């Protein structure tokens, strides 16, 4: 199983990717990074990547370039 950390998880693309991963048995989002820190899904959400201690195989980044 591919373990994913999703940066920008609460944004529009982050929500789309989160839904797609839910439907894929070979992948799992183990943590999210979002400036709000709000948990909208089953995985933990951190405000910064430095707070995240979860291990993953890949990081998907749809965060804002402004931040």
């Amino acid at each position: 199983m591919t373990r994913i950390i999703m940066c920008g998880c609460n944004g529009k693309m982050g929500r789309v990717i989160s839904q797609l991963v839910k439907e894929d048995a070979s992948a799992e989002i183990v943590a999210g990074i979002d400036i709000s820190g709000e948990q909208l899904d089953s995985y933990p959400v951190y405000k910064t990547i430095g707070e995240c201690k979860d291990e993953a195989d890949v990081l998907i980044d749809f965060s804002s370039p402004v931040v």
Side-chain angles (χ1 to χ4, degrees):
M1 175 168 304
T2 303
R3 297 170 298 163
I4 302 167
I5 294 175
M6 180 76 226
C7 291
C9 63
N10 291 342
K12 186 170 184 168
M13 283 306 299
R15 301 298 308 141
V16 169
I17 299 295
S18 292
Q19 186 59 44
L20 289 171
V21 171
K22 281 183 189 177
E23 300 167 7
D24 185 347
S26 67
E28 172 188 21
I29 297 179
V30 296
I33 311 297
D34 193 87
I35 195 165
S36 73
E38 184 178 3
Q39 184 176 349
L40 300 178
D41 238 308
S42 60
Y43 51 82
V45 177
Y46 305 96
K47 287 188 174 187
T48 68
I49 191 73
E51 296 173 4
C52 181
K53 303 302 180 202
D54 299 270
E55 291 188 21
D57 302 304
V58 65
L59 181 136
I60 299 175
D61 187 2
F62 275 107
S63 61
S64 171
V66 176
V67 176

